[in-house]
Amino acid sequence: MVWVIGGNGMLGTQLCRNLSEKKIDFVSTDRNVDITNLSELEQFANGKKINFIVNCAAYTAVDKAESELSLAEKLNAEGPKNIARLAKKIGSKLIHISTDYVFNGTGICKKDGTIRPYNEDDPTAPIGVYGLTKEKGEKAVLEETEDFYILRTAWLYGFDGKNFVYTMIRAMNTHESVKVVSDQRGSPTFCVDLANVIIKLIKKDGTIPYGIYHVTNEGETTWFDFTKEIFAQGTKKGLITNKSCIINPCTTQEYPTPAKRPSYSVLNKKKIEDALGEKLPDWQDSLALFLESKNFDHERIK
């Protein structure tokens, strides 16, 4: 049995959908089981034969985290520690979802002066509260259990909950122009593709070496160019009703936020692709699948 923790979130909901489609036995919890309370976790697990725990639960409000350190730390550090401790106790394998924000976002400079994508073993150095608490969560998992997969992802979007793609389509349909940051680079990631990787790890049942893996869609872009692609594909699919909307670039400095954003968030996926024996989809192809899917929520773009 698979236990999905954080099953009501964007990724958790998608993962439960995939597990159901694959007819894999699972249970899902969200706020009804407090991950900061080890005894609640133990009580829920009691009597169940849980082979995998997938922790999708997290405090993800990056800006609010700057003023809510205690809450972010409870959910992103203490919670994973409890979950990992429980996994060890009951003999379950753990898949824990982490983030590109554990890095400082400046990239790793090669000898020729160019920047390369982050590898799993590159030094972490978070620049904000959210990244700091997620780093603590990773360390807690490493300390509490050996049978784990930490999956770092970035720029995640999907069918359920708020996300950048829904937000930008709605903005472009209701405004004459939109301004989007053009000096932050990363890899948009369709949560269906991340959920598919999780399913494959579950099916492999521990035969893939444990450790940290990077999982995003292939390719890289900026938020500005991502928005332009959303506009182009959305127009073709009839989702953009205001075809005269102008998309303007801006700098991070022009769009200040409480939490500093990484300028470079590209992650190297070679390790997971070698382990699974297949490439991850390109971000443009996955965006097309998202926009044309029957699960696309048209209410969220009104």
Side-chain angles (χ1 to χ4, degrees):
M1 178 187 288
V2 178
W3 178 8
V4 180
I5 297 177
N8 291 350
M10 180 171 64
L11 176 60
T13 301
Q14 183 61 51
L15 179 58
C16 291
R17 188 181 289 126
N18 285 30
L19 289 166
S20 182
E21 289 172 355
K22 299 288 184 182
K23 295 181 169 52
I24 297 173
D25 189 26
F26 74 95
V27 290
S28 172
T29 60
D30 204 85
R31 295 186 181 185
N32 56 312
V33 177
D34 183 4
I35 63 173
T36 68
N37 187 324
L38 181 57
S39 63
E40 277 197 36
L41 290 167
E42 290 173 334
Q43 187 176 354
F44 182 84
N46 187 40
K48 298 180 178 70
K49 293 183 179 179
I50 298 167
N51 189 39
F52 266 94
I53 300 174
V54 185
N55 180 30
C56 301
Y59 182 105
T60 58
V62 176
D63 287 324
K64 286 181 68 177
E66 294 298 310
S67 58
E68 294 185 347
L69 170 60
S70 178
L71 180 58
E73 196 159 76
K74 281 184 178 180
L75 295 174
N76 291 345
E78 292 178 28
K81 182 174 183 176
N82 289 336
I83 293 167
R85 186 172 292 178
L86 174 69
K88 172 84 170 181
K89 181 178 179 180
I90 66 175
S92 173
K93 304 168 191 71
L94 173 62
I95 299 175
H96 174 68
I97 307 303
S98 193
T99 173
D100 60 296
Y101 274 74
V102 297
F103 297 113
N104 65 12
T106 60
I108 303 295
C109 189
K110 295 195 287 187
K111 289 182 180 179
D112 63 1
T114 60
I115 302 297
R116 65 158 174 81
Y118 285 104
N119 297 325
E120 286 81 354
D121 58 357
D122 283 329
T124 56
I127 55 176
V129 168
Y130 169 68
L132 180 66
T133 59
K134 290 296 287 183
E135 180 192 46
K136 287 183 177 180
E138 287 190 5
K139 289 178 177 178
V141 170
L142 286 162
E143 289 169 0
E144 295 294 338
T145 185
E146 296 84 36
D147 299 349
F148 70 87
Y149 301 99
I150 293 173
L151 306 183
R152 292 178 182 145
T153 192
W155 293 28
L156 201 62
Y157 67 91
F159 300 117
D160 310 281
K162 295 179 181 179
N163 64 72
F164 186 79
V165 182
Y166 283 145
T167 298
M168 293 316 300
I169 293 176
R170 186 171 61 251
M172 289 185 286
N173 281 339
T174 55
H175 294 77
E176 291 307 308
S177 65
V178 294
K179 190 177 286 188
V180 189
V181 172
S182 61
D183 58 358
Q184 296 173 19
R185 297 193 69 81
S187 303
T189 305
F190 187 20
C191 68
V192 168
D193 295 323
L194 176 55
N196 285 338
V197 169
I198 294 170
I199 295 282
K200 287 168 185 172
L201 288 174
I202 290 169
K203 285 187 170 182
K204 293 289 185 180
D205 198 22
T207 58
I208 298 292
Y210 295 118
I212 300 173
Y213 292 86
H214 290 168
V215 184
T216 68
N217 282 125
E218 279 291 1
E220 61 180 84
T221 188
T222 66
W223 291 111
F224 172 69
D225 288 324
F226 186 23
T227 303
K228 289 201 298 182
E229 184 68 16
I230 294 167
F231 183 84
Q233 290 197 25
T235 298
K236 288 181 181 178
K237 298 179 192 308
L239 299 172
I240 302 295
T241 56
N242 179 23
K243 297 178 183 178
S244 62
C245 181
I246 300 169
I247 305 166
N248 294 311
C250 71
T251 64
T252 300
Q253 197 170 8
E254 292 176 82
Y255 192 78
T257 54
K260 187 178 179 181
R261 294 301 195 273
S263 60
Y264 187 83
S265 287
V266 184
L267 304 177
N268 187 343
K269 277 76 68 175
K270 187 178 187 303
K271 184 179 176 182
I272 191 67
E273 290 176 338
D274 286 349
L276 297 178
E278 59 186 80
K279 294 277 286 183
L280 287 157
D282 288 332
W283 71 265
Q284 296 98 326
D285 295 338
S286 289
L287 176 62
L289 291 175
F290 171 68
L291 296 176
E292 65 193 20
S293 172
K294 62 180 176 59
N295 292 320
F296 184 90
D297 190 346
H298 291 264
E299 291 299 312
R300 295 184 187 272
I301 62 173
K302 292 181 179 178

